[in-house]
Amino acid sequence: LGIKQDFGFYQLEKTSDGRPFRWTRSYGGTTLRIEKPVMEVPLLATHPDIEEKPVKVKIYLIKDFFKEKKLLKELVLTRNVWQTYRFEIPEEVGQEEILLIEVSRTWVPQKILGVPDPRRLGVALGEIQFSEAFP
């Protein structure tokens, strides 16, 4: 159908060094055109208790409006640092698919830190890149 999907994300923000990212809620999905055989997905979880209670993240590629859902990886995040995850997906090159991120739990900065941010934050998704092969 060619309809772009973009759901479960807050507005675009930038890191202190100017890189764009968006926070998910408990899930977020966006349509991508798979340009090259390796997809690089930068993620950050900032849950204050992440070391004691890790955050589980499932990353999927979805085809044909959820008719085909492929789990790329289930991650367990235990640190508050940006990490880039690489996926070899040569069979997907040239296709438009939905990247879906599901997060096991969210947190609310206003409740935990007392700051004026009432959002339910899952993970931050940085700019997705594609490359020819693993470095």
Side-chain angles (χ1 to χ4, degrees), residues 74-131:
E74 185 169 347
L75 307 168
V76 177
L77 305 182
T78 59
R79 298 182 304 142
N80 292 337
V81 296
W82 281 100
Q83 297 178 78
T84 298
Y85 299 92
R86 292 173 177 82
F87 305 100
E88 286 193 67
I89 50 170
E91 65 282 357
E92 312 298 335
V93 172
Q95 298 186 49
E96 277 202 356
E97 299 185 14
I98 298 170
L99 177 72
L100 177 67
I101 297 170
E102 291 182 354
V103 182
S104 64
R105 65 189 182 96
T106 59
W107 72 287
V108 180
Q110 188 173 47
K111 285 183 182 175
I112 308 289
L113 304 176
V115 297
D117 186 350
R119 298 177 296 174
R120 293 193 160 280
L121 302 179
V123 293
L125 172 66
E127 191 172 17
I128 296 164
Q129 302 286 324
F130 294 94
S131 61

Short mmCIF file of all heavy atoms in Angstrom, two decimals, residues 74-131:
data_model
loop_
_atom_site.label_atom_id
_atom_site.label_comp_id
_atom_site.label_asym_id
_atom_site.label_seq_id
_atom_site.Cartn_x
_atom_site.Cartn_y
_atom_site.Cartn_z
N GLU A 74 16.60 -10.02 20.60
CA GLU A 74 16.11 -9.59 21.90
C GLU A 74 17.33 -9.17 22.70
O GLU A 74 18.25 -9.95 22.90
CB GLU A 74 15.37 -10.72 22.61
CG GLU A 74 14.76 -10.26 23.90
CD GLU A 74 13.78 -11.26 24.51
OE1 GLU A 74 13.37 -12.21 23.82
OE2 GLU A 74 13.44 -11.07 25.69
N LEU A 75 17.32 -7.92 23.13
CA LEU A 75 18.46 -7.35 23.85
C LEU A 75 18.14 -7.20 25.32
O LEU A 75 16.97 -7.04 25.69
CB LEU A 75 18.78 -5.95 23.30
CG LEU A 75 18.98 -5.82 21.80
CD1 LEU A 75 18.99 -4.35 21.41
CD2 LEU A 75 20.26 -6.49 21.39
N VAL A 76 19.16 -7.22 26.15
CA VAL A 76 19.02 -6.90 27.57
C VAL A 76 19.98 -5.74 27.84
O VAL A 76 21.20 -5.92 27.78
CB VAL A 76 19.35 -8.12 28.46
CG1 VAL A 76 19.25 -7.73 29.93
CG2 VAL A 76 18.42 -9.28 28.14
N LEU A 77 19.41 -4.57 28.09
CA LEU A 77 20.23 -3.38 28.32
C LEU A 77 20.44 -3.20 29.82
O LEU A 77 19.49 -3.23 30.59
CB LEU A 77 19.54 -2.15 27.73
CG LEU A 77 19.16 -2.24 26.25
CD1 LEU A 77 18.53 -0.94 25.78
CD2 LEU A 77 20.34 -2.61 25.38
N THR A 78 21.70 -3.02 30.19
CA THR A 78 22.07 -2.91 31.60
C THR A 78 22.86 -1.64 31.92
O THR A 78 23.28 -1.45 33.05
CB THR A 78 22.91 -4.12 32.03
OG1 THR A 78 24.09 -4.17 31.22
CG2 THR A 78 22.14 -5.42 31.89
N ARG A 79 23.07 -0.80 30.91
CA ARG A 79 23.86 0.43 31.11
C ARG A 79 23.21 1.61 30.41
O ARG A 79 22.55 1.44 29.39
CB ARG A 79 25.28 0.25 30.56
CG ARG A 79 26.06 -0.85 31.24
CD ARG A 79 27.48 -0.99 30.71
NE ARG A 79 27.51 -1.19 29.27
CZ ARG A 79 28.43 -0.66 28.47
NH1 ARG A 79 29.39 0.10 28.95
NH2 ARG A 79 28.39 -0.89 27.16
N ASN A 80 23.42 2.81 30.94
CA ASN A 80 22.89 4.05 30.37
C ASN A 80 23.88 4.65 29.37
O ASN A 80 24.36 5.77 29.56
CB ASN A 80 22.61 5.08 31.47
CG ASN A 80 21.48 4.67 32.36
OD1 ASN A 80 20.62 3.89 31.98
ND2 ASN A 80 21.46 5.19 33.57
N VAL A 81 24.20 3.91 28.32
CA VAL A 81 25.11 4.41 27.28
C VAL A 81 24.55 4.05 25.91
O VAL A 81 23.86 3.05 25.75
CB VAL A 81 26.54 3.83 27.41
CG1 VAL A 81 27.20 4.27 28.71
CG2 VAL A 81 26.54 2.32 27.30
N TRP A 82 24.85 4.90 24.91
CA TRP A 82 24.47 4.59 23.54
C TRP A 82 25.20 3.34 23.09
O TRP A 82 26.41 3.23 23.31
CB TRP A 82 24.82 5.74 22.60
CG TRP A 82 23.86 6.88 22.64
CD1 TRP A 82 24.02 8.05 23.30
CD2 TRP A 82 22.59 6.94 21.99
NE1 TRP A 82 22.91 8.85 23.10
CE2 TRP A 82 22.02 8.20 22.30
CE3 TRP A 82 21.87 6.07 21.17
CZ2 TRP A 82 20.78 8.60 21.83
CZ3 TRP A 82 20.62 6.47 20.70
CH2 TRP A 82 20.10 7.71 21.03
N GLN A 83 24.48 2.43 22.50
CA GLN A 83 25.07 1.23 21.92
C GLN A 83 24.47 1.03 20.54
O GLN A 83 23.26 1.21 20.36
CB GLN A 83 24.78 0.00 22.79
CG GLN A 83 25.40 0.12 24.18
CD GLN A 83 25.06 -1.08 25.03
OE1 GLN A 83 25.64 -2.13 24.89
NE2 GLN A 83 24.08 -0.92 25.91
N THR A 84 25.30 0.68 19.57
CA THR A 84 24.81 0.45 18.21
C THR A 84 24.78 -1.05 17.96
O THR A 84 25.77 -1.75 18.18
CB THR A 84 25.71 1.15 17.18
OG1 THR A 84 25.66 2.57 17.44
CG2 THR A 84 25.23 0.90 15.76
N TYR A 85 23.64 -1.52 17.50
CA TYR A 85 23.43 -2.94 17.20
C TYR A 85 23.37 -3.09 15.70
O TYR A 85 22.70 -2.32 15.01
CB TYR A 85 22.15 -3.44 17.88
CG TYR A 85 22.25 -3.28 19.37
CD1 TYR A 85 21.79 -2.13 20.00
CD2 TYR A 85 22.88 -4.25 20.15
CE1 TYR A 85 21.92 -1.96 21.37
CE2 TYR A 85 23.01 -4.08 21.52
CZ TYR A 85 22.53 -2.94 22.12
OH TYR A 85 22.67 -2.77 23.47
N ARG A 86 24.09 -4.10 15.19
CA ARG A 86 24.17 -4.32 13.74
C ARG A 86 23.47 -5.62 13.38
O ARG A 86 23.64 -6.63 14.06
CB ARG A 86 25.62 -4.35 13.29
CG ARG A 86 26.28 -2.99 13.41
CD ARG A 86 27.77 -3.01 13.13
NE ARG A 86 28.33 -1.68 13.20
CZ ARG A 86 28.68 -1.07 14.33
NH1 ARG A 86 28.54 -1.69 15.47
NH2 ARG A 86 29.15 0.15 14.32
N PHE A 87 22.71 -5.55 12.29
CA PHE A 87 21.96 -6.71 11.83
C PHE A 87 22.24 -6.94 10.35
O PHE A 87 22.12 -6.01 9.56
CB PHE A 87 20.45 -6.48 12.03
CG PHE A 87 20.10 -6.14 13.45
CD1 PHE A 87 19.88 -4.83 13.83
CD2 PHE A 87 20.03 -7.14 14.41
CE1 PHE A 87 19.58 -4.52 15.15
CE2 PHE A 87 19.74 -6.83 15.73
CZ PHE A 87 19.51 -5.53 16.09
N GLU A 88 22.61 -8.15 10.03
CA GLU A 88 22.79 -8.52 8.63
C GLU A 88 21.44 -8.92 8.07
O GLU A 88 20.83 -9.88 8.54
CB GLU A 88 23.77 -9.68 8.50
CG GLU A 88 25.20 -9.26 8.76
CD GLU A 88 26.20 -10.31 8.32
OE1 GLU A 88 26.29 -10.56 7.10
OE2 GLU A 88 26.84 -10.89 9.20
N ILE A 89 20.98 -8.16 7.07
CA ILE A 89 19.66 -8.41 6.49
C ILE A 89 19.73 -8.31 4.95
O ILE A 89 18.93 -7.59 4.34
CB ILE A 89 18.61 -7.44 7.07
CG1 ILE A 89 19.10 -5.98 6.99
CG2 ILE A 89 18.27 -7.80 8.50
CD1 ILE A 89 18.04 -4.96 7.32
N PRO A 90 20.64 -9.03 4.31
CA PRO A 90 20.81 -8.89 2.85
C PRO A 90 19.55 -9.22 2.05
O PRO A 90 19.31 -8.64 0.99
CB PRO A 90 21.96 -9.85 2.52
CG PRO A 90 22.00 -10.81 3.65
CD PRO A 90 21.52 -10.05 4.86
N GLU A 91 18.74 -10.14 2.56
CA GLU A 91 17.52 -10.54 1.83
C GLU A 91 16.46 -9.44 1.82
O GLU A 91 15.49 -9.50 1.06
CB GLU A 91 16.95 -11.83 2.43
CG GLU A 91 16.44 -11.71 3.84
CD GLU A 91 17.49 -11.70 4.95
OE1 GLU A 91 18.71 -11.84 4.66
OE2 GLU A 91 17.12 -11.53 6.12
N GLU A 92 16.64 -8.40 2.63
CA GLU A 92 15.65 -7.33 2.74
C GLU A 92 16.01 -6.11 1.89
O GLU A 92 15.22 -5.17 1.80
CB GLU A 92 15.51 -6.89 4.20
CG GLU A 92 15.33 -8.00 5.21
CD GLU A 92 14.08 -8.83 5.01
OE1 GLU A 92 13.11 -8.33 4.42
OE2 GLU A 92 14.08 -9.99 5.45
N VAL A 93 17.20 -6.08 1.29
CA VAL A 93 17.66 -4.90 0.56
C VAL A 93 16.66 -4.52 -0.54
O VAL A 93 16.17 -5.37 -1.27
CB VAL A 93 19.08 -5.13 -0.04
CG1 VAL A 93 19.48 -3.98 -0.97
CG2 VAL A 93 20.10 -5.27 1.08
N GLY A 94 16.37 -3.22 -0.60
CA GLY A 94 15.46 -2.70 -1.61
C GLY A 94 14.01 -2.67 -1.19
O GLY A 94 13.16 -2.13 -1.91
N GLN A 95 13.69 -3.21 -0.04
CA GLN A 95 12.30 -3.28 0.40
C GLN A 95 12.00 -2.19 1.45
O GLN A 95 12.89 -1.74 2.15
CB GLN A 95 12.00 -4.65 1.00
CG GLN A 95 12.18 -5.76 -0.02
CD GLN A 95 11.75 -7.09 0.55
OE1 GLN A 95 10.68 -7.21 1.11
NE2 GLN A 95 12.60 -8.09 0.40
N GLU A 96 10.73 -1.82 1.54
CA GLU A 96 10.27 -0.96 2.62
C GLU A 96 9.65 -1.84 3.68
O GLU A 96 8.78 -2.66 3.38
CB GLU A 96 9.24 0.06 2.11
CG GLU A 96 9.88 1.26 1.50
CD GLU A 96 8.97 2.47 1.47
OE1 GLU A 96 7.79 2.39 1.87
OE2 GLU A 96 9.46 3.52 1.04
N GLU A 97 10.12 -1.68 4.90
CA GLU A 97 9.63 -2.49 6.01
C GLU A 97 9.51 -1.60 7.24
O GLU A 97 10.05 -0.51 7.29
CB GLU A 97 10.57 -3.66 6.28
CG GLU A 97 10.68 -4.56 5.07
CD GLU A 97 11.51 -5.81 5.28
OE1 GLU A 97 11.80 -6.13 6.44
OE2 GLU A 97 11.86 -6.43 4.27
N ILE A 98 8.80 -2.10 8.23
CA ILE A 98 8.65 -1.37 9.48
C ILE A 98 9.65 -1.92 10.49
O ILE A 98 9.70 -3.13 10.71
CB ILE A 98 7.22 -1.50 10.05
CG1 ILE A 98 6.21 -0.89 9.07
CG2 ILE A 98 7.11 -0.83 11.42
CD1 ILE A 98 4.76 -1.17 9.42
N LEU A 99 10.44 -1.04 11.07
CA LEU A 99 11.29 -1.41 12.20
C LEU A 99 10.45 -1.19 13.44
O LEU A 99 9.97 -0.08 13.68
CB LEU A 99 12.54 -0.53 12.24
CG LEU A 99 13.46 -0.79 13.44
CD1 LEU A 99 14.18 -2.13 13.26
CD2 LEU A 99 14.45 0.33 13.61
N LEU A 100 10.23 -2.26 14.21
CA LEU A 100 9.42 -2.18 15.43
C LEU A 100 10.31 -2.46 16.62
O LEU A 100 11.06 -3.45 16.63
CB LEU A 100 8.28 -3.20 15.38
CG LEU A 100 7.40 -3.27 16.63
CD1 LEU A 100 6.60 -1.98 16.80
CD2 LEU A 100 6.47 -4.46 16.55
N ILE A 101 10.22 -1.60 17.62
CA ILE A 101 10.99 -1.76 18.86
C ILE A 101 10.00 -1.88 20.01
O ILE A 101 9.15 -1.01 20.20
CB ILE A 101 11.91 -0.55 19.08
CG1 ILE A 101 12.93 -0.48 17.94
CG2 ILE A 101 12.60 -0.63 20.44
CD1 ILE A 101 13.74 0.76 17.92
N GLU A 102 10.09 -2.99 20.75
CA GLU A 102 9.24 -3.21 21.93
C GLU A 102 10.13 -3.18 23.16
O GLU A 102 11.17 -3.84 23.20
CB GLU A 102 8.54 -4.56 21.85
CG GLU A 102 7.48 -4.65 20.78
CD GLU A 102 6.78 -6.00 20.77
OE1 GLU A 102 7.17 -6.93 21.51
OE2 GLU A 102 5.83 -6.12 19.99
N VAL A 103 9.70 -2.43 24.17
CA VAL A 103 10.48 -2.23 25.39
C VAL A 103 9.71 -2.86 26.56
O VAL A 103 8.51 -2.67 26.70
CB VAL A 103 10.70 -0.72 25.63
CG1 VAL A 103 11.55 -0.49 26.87
CG2 VAL A 103 11.35 -0.08 24.42
N SER A 104 10.41 -3.59 27.43
CA SER A 104 9.77 -4.30 28.53
C SER A 104 9.16 -3.38 29.58
O SER A 104 8.19 -3.73 30.24
CB SER A 104 10.75 -5.26 29.21
OG SER A 104 11.82 -4.54 29.80
N ARG A 105 9.73 -2.19 29.74
CA ARG A 105 9.20 -1.26 30.74
C ARG A 105 9.61 0.16 30.40
O ARG A 105 10.64 0.39 29.76
CB ARG A 105 9.63 -1.64 32.15
CG ARG A 105 11.11 -1.55 32.40
CD ARG A 105 11.48 -2.15 33.76
NE ARG A 105 12.90 -2.02 34.00
CZ ARG A 105 13.45 -1.03 34.70
NH1 ARG A 105 12.70 -0.10 35.25
NH2 ARG A 105 14.76 -1.00 34.90
N THR A 106 8.79 1.10 30.83
CA THR A 106 9.09 2.52 30.62
C THR A 106 9.34 3.16 31.99
O THR A 106 9.16 2.52 33.03
CB THR A 106 7.91 3.24 29.94
OG1 THR A 106 6.74 3.10 30.76
CG2 THR A 106 7.64 2.66 28.56
N TRP A 107 9.73 4.41 31.95
CA TRP A 107 9.88 5.17 33.20
C TRP A 107 9.45 6.62 32.93
O TRP A 107 9.45 7.08 31.80
CB TRP A 107 11.28 5.06 33.77
CG TRP A 107 12.35 5.81 33.03
CD1 TRP A 107 12.89 5.48 31.81
CD2 TRP A 107 13.00 7.00 33.44
NE1 TRP A 107 13.83 6.39 31.46
CE2 TRP A 107 13.93 7.34 32.44
CE3 TRP A 107 12.90 7.80 34.56
CZ2 TRP A 107 14.75 8.46 32.51
CZ3 TRP A 107 13.72 8.92 34.65
CH2 TRP A 107 14.63 9.23 33.64
N VAL A 108 9.06 7.33 34.00
CA VAL A 108 8.57 8.70 33.89
C VAL A 108 9.51 9.62 34.66
O VAL A 108 9.55 9.57 35.90
CB VAL A 108 7.13 8.81 34.44
CG1 VAL A 108 6.63 10.25 34.31
CG2 VAL A 108 6.20 7.84 33.72
N PRO A 109 10.31 10.45 33.95
CA PRO A 109 11.26 11.33 34.64
C PRO A 109 10.62 12.21 35.71
O PRO A 109 11.22 12.44 36.77
CB PRO A 109 11.84 12.17 33.50
CG PRO A 109 11.72 11.29 32.30
CD PRO A 109 10.43 10.55 32.50
N GLN A 110 9.40 12.67 35.47
CA GLN A 110 8.73 13.53 36.46
C GLN A 110 8.53 12.80 37.79
O GLN A 110 8.75 13.37 38.85
CB GLN A 110 7.38 13.98 35.89
CG GLN A 110 6.68 15.03 36.72
CD GLN A 110 5.45 15.55 36.00
OE1 GLN A 110 4.66 14.78 35.48
NE2 GLN A 110 5.31 16.86 35.96
N LYS A 111 8.12 11.54 37.74
CA LYS A 111 7.89 10.78 38.97
C LYS A 111 9.19 10.39 39.66
O LYS A 111 9.29 10.44 40.88
CB LYS A 111 7.12 9.50 38.65
CG LYS A 111 5.67 9.71 38.36
CD LYS A 111 4.97 8.39 38.14
CE LYS A 111 3.52 8.56 37.77
NZ LYS A 111 2.87 7.29 37.45
N ILE A 112 10.18 9.99 38.89
CA ILE A 112 11.42 9.47 39.47
C ILE A 112 12.40 10.58 39.86
O ILE A 112 13.01 10.54 40.92
CB ILE A 112 12.13 8.51 38.48
CG1 ILE A 112 11.17 7.42 37.99
CG2 ILE A 112 13.39 7.92 39.08
CD1 ILE A 112 10.78 6.39 38.99
N LEU A 113 12.55 11.59 38.97
CA LEU A 113 13.56 12.63 39.19
C LEU A 113 12.97 13.98 39.62
O LEU A 113 13.72 14.88 39.97
CB LEU A 113 14.38 12.84 37.91
CG LEU A 113 15.06 11.60 37.32
CD1 LEU A 113 15.75 11.95 36.01
CD2 LEU A 113 16.06 11.01 38.32
N GLY A 114 11.64 14.12 39.53
CA GLY A 114 11.02 15.38 39.91
C GLY A 114 11.21 16.50 38.89
O GLY A 114 11.01 17.66 39.21
N VAL A 115 11.58 16.15 37.66
CA VAL A 115 11.75 17.15 36.60
C VAL A 115 10.43 17.29 35.84
O VAL A 115 9.60 16.38 35.86
CB VAL A 115 12.91 16.76 35.65
CG1 VAL A 115 14.22 16.73 36.39
CG2 VAL A 115 12.64 15.43 34.96
N PRO A 116 10.23 18.41 35.15
CA PRO A 116 8.94 18.62 34.46
C PRO A 116 8.84 17.86 33.13
O PRO A 116 8.65 18.45 32.07
CB PRO A 116 8.91 20.14 34.25
CG PRO A 116 10.33 20.54 34.17
CD PRO A 116 11.08 19.60 35.08
N ASP A 117 8.97 16.56 33.17
CA ASP A 117 8.87 15.73 31.97
C ASP A 117 7.95 14.54 32.27
O ASP A 117 8.36 13.55 32.87
CB ASP A 117 10.26 15.22 31.56
CG ASP A 117 10.24 14.47 30.25
OD1 ASP A 117 9.14 14.15 29.73
OD2 ASP A 117 11.33 14.18 29.72
N PRO A 118 6.66 14.64 31.86
CA PRO A 118 5.68 13.61 32.20
C PRO A 118 5.66 12.42 31.23
O PRO A 118 4.83 11.53 31.36
CB PRO A 118 4.36 14.37 32.13
CG PRO A 118 4.59 15.38 31.06
CD PRO A 118 6.04 15.78 31.20
N ARG A 119 6.58 12.39 30.27
CA ARG A 119 6.55 11.32 29.26
C ARG A 119 6.89 9.97 29.87
O ARG A 119 7.62 9.87 30.85
CB ARG A 119 7.54 11.62 28.13
CG ARG A 119 7.24 12.88 27.37
CD ARG A 119 8.28 13.17 26.32
NE ARG A 119 9.58 13.42 26.93
CZ ARG A 119 10.72 13.58 26.26
NH1 ARG A 119 10.72 13.52 24.94
NH2 ARG A 119 11.85 13.80 26.90
N ARG A 120 6.35 8.91 29.25
CA ARG A 120 6.70 7.52 29.58
C ARG A 120 7.77 7.09 28.60
O ARG A 120 7.47 6.77 27.45
CB ARG A 120 5.49 6.60 29.46
CG ARG A 120 4.43 6.87 30.46
CD ARG A 120 3.42 5.74 30.50
NE ARG A 120 2.70 5.77 31.75
CZ ARG A 120 3.16 5.28 32.90
NH1 ARG A 120 4.31 4.68 32.94
NH2 ARG A 120 2.45 5.37 34.00
N LEU A 121 9.03 7.09 29.04
CA LEU A 121 10.15 6.84 28.14
C LEU A 121 10.51 5.35 28.09
O LEU A 121 10.65 4.71 29.12
CB LEU A 121 11.39 7.64 28.59
CG LEU A 121 11.20 9.15 28.67
CD1 LEU A 121 12.50 9.79 29.15
CD2 LEU A 121 10.75 9.74 27.35
N GLY A 122 10.67 4.86 26.88
CA GLY A 122 11.16 3.50 26.66
C GLY A 122 12.66 3.58 26.42
O GLY A 122 13.45 3.66 27.36
N VAL A 123 13.05 3.60 25.15
CA VAL A 123 14.45 3.76 24.77
C VAL A 123 14.57 4.87 23.74
O VAL A 123 13.61 5.20 23.05
CB VAL A 123 15.07 2.46 24.20
CG1 VAL A 123 15.17 1.39 25.26
CG2 VAL A 123 14.33 1.97 22.97
N ALA A 124 15.76 5.44 23.63
CA ALA A 124 16.03 6.44 22.60
C ALA A 124 16.56 5.70 21.38
O ALA A 124 17.43 4.82 21.50
CB ALA A 124 17.06 7.45 23.10
N LEU A 125 16.02 6.04 20.22
CA LEU A 125 16.45 5.46 18.95
C LEU A 125 17.17 6.54 18.17
O LEU A 125 16.58 7.58 17.85
CB LEU A 125 15.24 4.95 18.15
CG LEU A 125 15.50 4.49 16.72
CD1 LEU A 125 16.38 3.23 16.71
CD2 LEU A 125 14.19 4.23 15.99
N GLY A 126 18.44 6.29 17.87
CA GLY A 126 19.22 7.23 17.08
C GLY A 126 18.97 7.04 15.60
O GLY A 126 18.10 6.28 15.19
N GLU A 127 19.76 7.73 14.79
CA GLU A 127 19.60 7.66 13.34
C GLU A 127 20.08 6.31 12.82
O GLU A 127 21.22 5.90 13.07
CB GLU A 127 20.39 8.80 12.69
CG GLU A 127 20.10 8.97 11.25
CD GLU A 127 20.75 10.23 10.68
OE1 GLU A 127 21.68 10.79 11.31
OE2 GLU A 127 20.34 10.64 9.60
N ILE A 128 19.22 5.63 12.11
CA ILE A 128 19.54 4.30 11.57
C ILE A 128 20.40 4.47 10.33
O ILE A 128 20.10 5.31 9.47
CB ILE A 128 18.25 3.53 11.27
CG1 ILE A 128 17.51 3.29 12.59
CG2 ILE A 128 18.55 2.23 10.54
CD1 ILE A 128 16.08 2.89 12.42
N GLN A 129 21.46 3.70 10.25
CA GLN A 129 22.38 3.75 9.12
C GLN A 129 22.41 2.37 8.45
O GLN A 129 22.12 1.36 9.07
CB GLN A 129 23.80 4.09 9.59
CG GLN A 129 23.92 5.39 10.34
CD GLN A 129 23.82 6.59 9.45
OE1 GLN A 129 24.28 6.58 8.31
NE2 GLN A 129 23.18 7.65 9.94
N PHE A 130 22.81 2.38 7.19
CA PHE A 130 22.99 1.12 6.45
C PHE A 130 24.40 1.09 5.89
O PHE A 130 24.95 2.12 5.51
CB PHE A 130 21.97 1.02 5.31
CG PHE A 130 20.56 0.91 5.80
CD1 PHE A 130 19.76 2.04 5.93
CD2 PHE A 130 20.03 -0.31 6.15
CE1 PHE A 130 18.47 1.95 6.40
CE2 PHE A 130 18.74 -0.42 6.63
CZ PHE A 130 17.96 0.72 6.75
N SER A 131 24.99 -0.11 5.87
CA SER A 131 26.33 -0.27 5.32
C SER A 131 26.41 -1.56 4.53
O SER A 131 25.50 -2.41 4.59
CB SER A 131 27.38 -0.23 6.44
OG SER A 131 27.18 -1.28 7.35
#
